[in-house]
Amino acid sequence: MRTMKDQMQKWIKANNMAYRSERNRKERKRNKERLTEREINELMGTYRPIYRRGKGGAFRQR
């Protein structure tokens, strides 16, 4: 019984498809975004106001 890889190679040859092996693929370099500590805290919501339910069910800022 053939493996999936062998079957795919046979099918590609039979259908004249372009094939790039996994070894020849170029890996894309991702731009690493540098965030400051303040920006990371902002994304996590550290500087947002905090609300709690007070007496009577009203929301109040802490």
Side-chain angles (χ1 to χ4, degrees):
M1 212 169 166
R2 295 182 180 206
T3 63
M4 180 65 90
K5 186 176 181 180
D6 294 335
Q7 290 177 9
M8 284 299 296
Q9 288 175 345
K10 184 178 176 185
W11 184 86
I12 287 168
K13 286 180 184 177
N15 293 303
N16 295 327
M17 299 292 289
Y19 177 74
R20 284 194 302 180
S21 67
E22 291 180 21
R23 284 179 257 139
N24 293 337
R25 287 185 188 166
K26 293 182 181 178
E27 292 184 19
R28 292 183 183 179
K29 293 183 179 179
R30 295 183 182 179
N31 294 335
K32 294 185 179 178
E33 186 177 357
R34 292 285 178 185
L35 298 175
T36 64
E37 192 172 331
R38 170 99 182 170
E39 289 171 332
I40 293 170
N41 286 335
E42 177 100 18
L43 289 172
M44 291 191 306
T46 307
Y47 300 113
R48 294 186 188 148
I50 300 169
Y51 295 96
R52 292 275 168 111
R53 284 203 182 265
K55 266 190 163 177
F59 285 107
R60 295 189 178 220
Q61 189 170 355
R62 258 180 102 195

